[in-house]
Every structure is written in C-alpha cells, then in structure tokens.
Amino acid sequence: MIGDMQKWSPNVASIIEHAKQFHPETEVISRMVSGDIHRTNYDEVCIRSRKLASALVKDGYKEGDVIATLALNTYRHLEMYYGISGMGAVTHTLNFRLHPEQAVYIINHAEDKIIFVEAPFVPILEALKDQLNTVEKYIILCDQSEMPDTQLKNAISYESYIEDGDENYEWPQLKDDAACALCYTSGTTGNPKGVLYSHKSNILHAQASLTAMLIKPSDSILMVVPLFHVLAWGIPYYGPMFGLKLVMPGMQMEGEPLFDLIDREDVSLAFGVPTIWMGLLAYCRENNKILSSVKNTIIGGSALSLSTLQEFDEVHDVNVIHAWGMTEMSPLGTTNVPTLEMESMSKEEKYAIQLKQGKPIYGVELKVVDDAGNDLPHDGESQGHLLVRGPWILQKYFKAENDAVDKDGWFDTGDISVLDQDGYMTIKDRAKDVIKSGGEWISSIDLENAAFGHPEVAEACVVGIPHPKWDERPMLFIVTNTGEEIDKQSILDFLASKVAKWWLPDEIIFLKELPHGATGKLQKFELRDEYTNYYMENKNA
Ligand code: ADP
C-alpha cells in the first residue's frame, strides 16, 4: 500500500523564500575583498537571488546548465547558491587554490557555461582562458565601478548583470531528484571526481544537520568553511532554513581578522578545519584574547588534536564538537555532541570521548569491514574499512558509467576506522595513509596527535616510508613553534610515553612548513614521494 501524503520534488530556493518570509531581518555579514564589512539580510538576499535567476533565464540559460563560481564566502556567493540552483541550473563551486591543470580539467569536465569570479581571481582565469572549452561568459563579482581591466570573454560585472533582473521572479517546479550543485573531490591521486548533489539530498542533509550540532535559532554562525568546499558543510542551506545569522570572513582567514569578526558580530557558533583554528588560537594566546561570545565550535575535515580541544575548553570555555564527513557525503556523517553521561566524567574521560569522530547523524548508516568485506565487531578495537549508506551519500561520480557503491548501496569512504560499544566511530587513518609495519597497522593520525601534544611542536605529519625489513616504517615530519630544530631524542622520549614502542618513528625530519592541499589537508603523498628511498638506502635507520 502506498502512503497518501503529497509528492515532494523540492527546490532549494524554497529555503531562501522561507527565510525571507519568516526571518527577513536576520543579518548576513560579509567581509569584502576590500576589508570592509558588508551587511545585508535574508529579505535582500532572497530578492537579489530572484533577480540573478531571472537574469540567467533572460540570458538564455536553462535547467541543467552547469554554472561555476570561483568565489569567497560573501553574500554574493550565497545569492549564487540560490539564484543559479533555484532556476534549475547546477551551481558548480571551484576552489581558487586548485592547481591550474586540475582547474582546467574540472571546468572542461563539468562543461561550465559561465564562471562567476571574484575580482582578485580574474588573473587565475586569464591564464587558463584559452584552454576552457565551454565557458561563454565571465561575471565579475563587483559593481560596474570596480570592474577590472580584463581580456576575459564577455566579461560583465555582477551588479550590472542582475540590475534588470525581476524582483518578483517565480522559481520553477523542478523534476524529482533534479541536480542542484556540483563539487569535485581534491583528487590527491588521479583526476578529481565530481559529486552531483540534488535539491532533495541537500535539503535532507540540511535538516538532519540541524539536529546534530547543538544549533539554536539565536546562534550567530561564523562560516569559515569555504562555500567552494563541499557546500560549506550545508550551512548556506540550514542557516536560512533556521533563520541563523551568518558571518562570513571573505578572504581574511588569519587569526587577527577572524578574532575581530567573531568579537564584533557576537559569533556563538564557529565552523572550521583544525588548521584555521590553530591560527586563531595562536593569535589569542599571543595577544591575551578570549573568545567570549563563542559557545560551540564544530571541527572537522581533519582529526581534532587533544591540545586544540584542551585550549578551546580550558582557556576559552568553548565546547568543541568533533565532526566527520566527506565530499561524497554532502558532507556530514558523524558528530560528537556532549551527552548526559559526560557531565559526570573527569576532564580526561570526557576528552577521550570528544576526540572520537562521533555517532552517525540520523540518515547515515555506518559499518566497518575487513579486507574480505566481513562485518567487524563494535568493540572499539577491530579496525577496518569504513562503509556508509544514506540519502545524501553519492550513488556514482558525475559522468561515471558505473556506480561507486556495492550491490547493497554501501560506499567505501577510503577511511580506516573502529566502532565501539557505545556507537562512537573513530577514524584511524585514510586507507592509503595507514602504515603497514611487519604485518601490523600503525595509525598515522594517532601518532601525529601524540607528537602534536609536545609543547614545542606546531604541526606534525607522519608518513609510512618503504623499509627493507618491516615493509613500511613511520617517518615523522615536524614544524616547531620557533621554526628551529629541537632535540630528536626529547621527542622520542615524549612519544614513548604515549604510544607503543614499535610505533616510534625511525626518523624525525624538521621542516619549515608542511605541504597542504587546496582544502587545507596535508599532502602526505608529496613527502612520501620525496623520502621514498630513505629507509631503503639508509640501512641503519
Ligand atoms: P577530499 O576532497 O580531500 O577528499 P573531503 O573533505 O571530502 O576532501 O575529505 C574527506 C576526508 O577527510 C575523510 O574521508 C577523512 O579521511 C578526512 N576527515 C574528515 N573529517 C575528519 C575528522 N574529523 N577526523 C579525521 N579525518 C577526517
């Protein structure tokens, strides 16, 4: 028997319409490229999104066209999320830190017709323009008076483009499962792969996310996670859905401007990756500043370290919510929110739980399997491949012929993890980064976190390097607080108190900086390539 309820083929534009109607005055704050603070609200964002959508329609663009953004976190990018997707086209977000070759590949693969580009990024596209086969027009995110002198084809300012758009534009009814947005994974190996989200998956993901991170209607959200990376973790959808004030930092992500923005806009909830928070915490430490308005921070994208957790909690009285997800999952999979039991725990017991990546949010199923695909027990010890399934998890990559899931719909995340009796999931490593030493596995993440606890260590990265006897052995790369080398033995002694002896790295290398990719993640393969013969040639290591 089929249920009698209404069919649902949503358009994300209904979210910004909802915000206009019920939260019209709620503010949307952006730090612009100039450094100035721009203030608008959901009423205006909605009207300008309608104008953009109608301008695109007038210009001949249709449902299913792919339209790209190369933009920062500002109100205009939010308008593009709604204006482009809402008229039925696909919003394809580009990362300005992409390697030029990857950018060309992605733009051609997606068949982008327009690129909306932030003025400072115009030179990036000018250098690539002759290789971009499908782009018909470039819309520069500025007003007419700020237009840069550019050779880009059919370049026009954003404000001129939307000027004559219809304020009363009516959003179309879209087909069931219509595509909404497109993001490419960073592709540390091989070509980047596209993930094509639907209107429905984005709305379901947003609704589920609202239940999983202690979000309150009165929250003021700092959106440090970029709108060009996995749809900024869904904030651009659930922010307006719930009437949350949005605060966007534009280009200035360093400690001082972030602190300034948090302070002046009374930010209560801040989202970001660990590297951004390390910069903010260092600024606060050096300048005796306290994050007094912030109540919660959501940290994901890479593993949270104990020292970051401790500093947020003990110095700033900020509760840390550890979260895990990935581009293929829209991205949210698990979160770690405080429970009643935690209230009676010692700090150490509580921290031990908070460092886990959390429990699945409703809608996401998880399992951990061995190499042969057998389910592993939830005993907190058995580690294996983490598989996921759910309505905001991809079925296949964009334009791929085959599904990316097995016959039962499980997607292999590429992460190695454990599940425990209480339902918590802990990421041990990425399958490609786990160190296979003498038939046993060493978690590079656990070893990095241990090294990171050393008071002189600013950043740490552990990589498995081929070894003549053990298959692979860990090598530890360190950036110290001062940038100078320190006594290796002191680090080994420190680590020996935290991890098993056979986990200790065979070599420690000091670097001035570690290689980070376009989304701030460590590029371990670069170090692995550079040092690949080190233990083979250096038999005493
Ligand atoms: P990429 O494009 O690099 O794949 P994603 O944002 O999709 O970027 O990366 C997802 C991966 O990031 C996960 O599979 C996992 O390995 C890692 N990751 C995300 N959140 C966490 C976390 N809280 N702890 C450890 N690793 C994480």
Side-chain angles (χ1 to χ4, degrees):
M1 202 183 291
I2 302 294
D4 288 332
M5 309 312 280
Q6 301 184 6
K7 295 273 175 277
W8 188 55
S9 305
N11 180 335
V12 290
S14 58
I15 300 174
I16 201 68
E17 290 291 335
H18 175 87
K20 173 177 168 42
Q21 197 174 353
F22 300 106
H23 312 284
E25 306 292 335
T26 303
E27 284 189 298
V28 175
I29 311 293
S30 320
R31 195 191 289 274
M32 305 307 288
V33 170
S34 63
D36 294 347
I37 300 292
H38 177 276
R39 313 187 85 83
T40 181
N41 57 34
Y42 285 131
D43 181 58
E44 288 174 0
V45 169
C46 179
I47 289 177
R48 284 167 54 89
S49 306
R50 289 182 195 162
K51 288 174 78 165
L52 169 59
S54 89
L56 288 167
V57 173
K58 248 192 264 178
D59 206 9
Y61 292 96
K62 300 183 303 301
E63 286 184 24
D65 284 341
V66 183
I67 295 179
T69 64
L70 184 64
L72 296 163
N73 283 14
T74 73
Y75 68 105
R76 287 192 182 115
H77 208 167
L78 191 63
E79 292 164 9
M80 293 185 279
Y81 262 62
Y82 288 104
I84 297 171
S85 300
M87 58 76 72
V90 175
T91 310
H92 172 202
T93 55
L94 292 166
N95 183 340
F96 66 87
R97 292 196 205 94
L98 280 171
H99 188 272
E101 257 172 48
Q102 286 199 335
V104 169
Y105 172 84
I106 288 176
I107 294 167
N108 287 334
H109 185 263
E111 300 181 56
D112 293 333
K113 295 206 164 163
I114 304 180
I115 303 182
F116 285 80
V117 49
E118 209 79 61
F121 304 150
V122 165
I124 301 179
L125 293 180
E126 282 176 335
L128 307 179
K129 68 179 185 344
D130 297 336
Q131 302 168 69
L132 306 181
N133 305 330
T134 55
V135 182
E136 298 163 357
K137 152 174 318 186
Y138 295 85
I139 299 178
I140 322 286
L141 296 165
C142 61
D143 64 33
Q144 199 50 38
S145 66
E146 297 165 323
M147 264 304 267
D149 188 17
T150 174
Q151 300 305 309
L152 289 177
K153 192 163 47 175
N154 298 323
I156 176 172
S157 77
Y158 180 81
E159 295 301 329
S160 320
Y161 193 73
I162 68 168
E163 196 171 19
D164 297 326
D166 180 1
E167 286 194 1
N168 300 310
Y169 170 82
E170 289 189 15
W171 306 101
Q173 171 69 46
L174 301 173
K175 292 197 191 78
D176 202 21
D177 287 325
C180 176
L182 177 64
C183 291
Y184 281 73
T185 61
S186 3
T188 40
T189 50
N191 278 327
K193 289 187 262 188
V195 180
L196 185 63
Y197 309 98
S198 68
H199 286 258
K200 196 185 276 176
S201 68
N202 280 341
I203 291 177
L204 286 173
H205 172 265
Q207 288 179 319
S209 300
L210 276 176
T211 65
M213 289 178 288
L214 305 183
I215 301 175
K216 297 187 304 303
S218 54
D219 272 328
S220 167
I221 290 196
L222 181 74
M223 192 160 78
V224 183
V225 287
L227 283 158
F228 61 70
H229 188 218
V230 220
L231 308 178
W233 302 0
I235 303 167
Y237 302 119
Y238 59 75
M241 200 179 259
F242 214 33
L244 305 167
K245 174 178 170 182
L246 294 185
V247 181
M248 298 185 270
M251 209 151 181
Q252 299 185 15
M253 311 283 257
E254 304 80 27
E256 184 170 3
L258 275 187
F259 180 86
D260 173 61
L261 202 58
I262 290 172
D263 200 39
R264 74 159 81 184
E265 297 301 336
D266 251 350
V267 164
S268 55
L269 181 60
F271 287 72
V273 294
T275 40
I276 296 285
W277 295 146
M278 274 152 55
L280 178 67
L281 289 174
Y283 169 78
C284 292
R285 212 181 303 131
E286 284 151 21
N287 296 279
N288 288 324
K289 304 274 190 193
I290 295 293
L291 296 162
S292 50
S293 61
V294 183
K295 302 283 173 286
N296 294 302
T297 176
I298 320 284
I299 302 189
S302 307
L304 164 70
S305 71
L306 177 61
S307 46
T308 303
L309 172 58
Q310 253 172 334
E311 193 163 353
F312 267 120
D313 181 39
E314 289 168 18
V315 179
H316 299 278
D317 198 17
V318 171
N319 175 53
V320 174
I321 299 171
H322 195 183
W324 164 87
M326 62 193 311
T327 306
E328 288 86 341
M329 300 178 69
S330 305
L332 203 58
T334 62
T335 63
N336 194 334
V337 288
T339 60
L340 211 53
E341 297 84 69
M342 281 189 201
E343 283 175 19
S344 53
M345 287 179 185
S346 69
K347 266 195 191 304
E348 286 64 36
E349 288 169 326
K350 198 172 137 219
Y351 289 158
I353 295 183
Q354 284 184 292
L355 288 176
K356 301 179 182 191
Q357 276 70 13
K359 297 185 185 187
I361 57 175
Y362 174 73
V364 172
E365 289 178 84
L366 297 183
K367 67 173 179 175
V368 175
V369 300
D370 64 15
D371 287 343
N374 303 308
D375 285 14
L376 290 172
H378 299 187
D379 57 6
E381 283 179 6
S382 306
Q383 45 179 305
H385 306 275
L386 178 63
L387 271 47
V388 292
R389 187 163 75 171
W392 50 87
I393 295 167
L394 101 162
Q395 178 78 19
K396 69 180 189 75
Y397 287 102
F398 185 47
K399 293 187 176 173
E401 285 185 4
N402 299 321
D403 279 352
V405 299
D406 69 15
K407 64 174 180 19
D408 298 318
W410 291 101
F411 173 74
D412 185 343
T413 61
D415 285 333
I416 300 294
S417 62
V418 299
L419 295 171
D420 69 20
Q421 303 84 335
D422 301 320
Y424 285 95
M425 186 276 284
T426 305
I427 297 277
K428 287 295 178 186
D429 226 323
R430 287 193 143 187
K432 59 180 168 28
D433 294 334
V434 75
I435 301 157
K436 297 173 187 90
S437 171
E440 301 282 345
W441 287 0
I442 298 174
S443 158
S444 66
I445 295 185
D446 284 355
L447 206 44
E448 280 157 12
N449 277 343
F452 197 56
H454 188 288
E456 298 296 321
V457 172
E459 244 194 310
C461 174
V462 172
V463 174
I465 300 293
H467 190 280
K469 180 163 173 208
W470 299 109
D471 197 11
E472 281 181 348
R473 288 294 300 155
M475 186 177 280
L476 170 60
F477 297 87
I478 285 181
V479 178
T480 60
N481 289 332
T482 57
E484 302 301 325
E485 296 195 8
I486 53 176
D487 178 28
K488 287 185 187 174
Q489 195 54 45
S490 81
I491 297 175
L492 290 172
D493 292 346
F494 178 80
L495 289 176
S497 66
K498 313 252 169 215
V499 300
K501 195 161 173 280
W502 64 277
W503 278 36
L504 292 179
D506 293 30
E507 183 58 287
I508 299 176
I509 309 266
F510 295 95
L511 296 176
K512 293 285 177 217
E513 59 179 342
L514 296 177
H516 287 282
T519 55
K521 286 184 207 241
L522 286 172
Q523 302 292 84
K524 294 193 178 184
F525 65 95
E526 287 188 17
L527 295 171
R528 198 177 291 129
D529 287 352
E530 190 177 341
Y531 288 87
T532 194
N533 295 322
Y534 191 94
Y535 291 151
M536 294 295 192
E537 288 167 359
N538 189 354
K539 299 277 187 314
N540 298 328

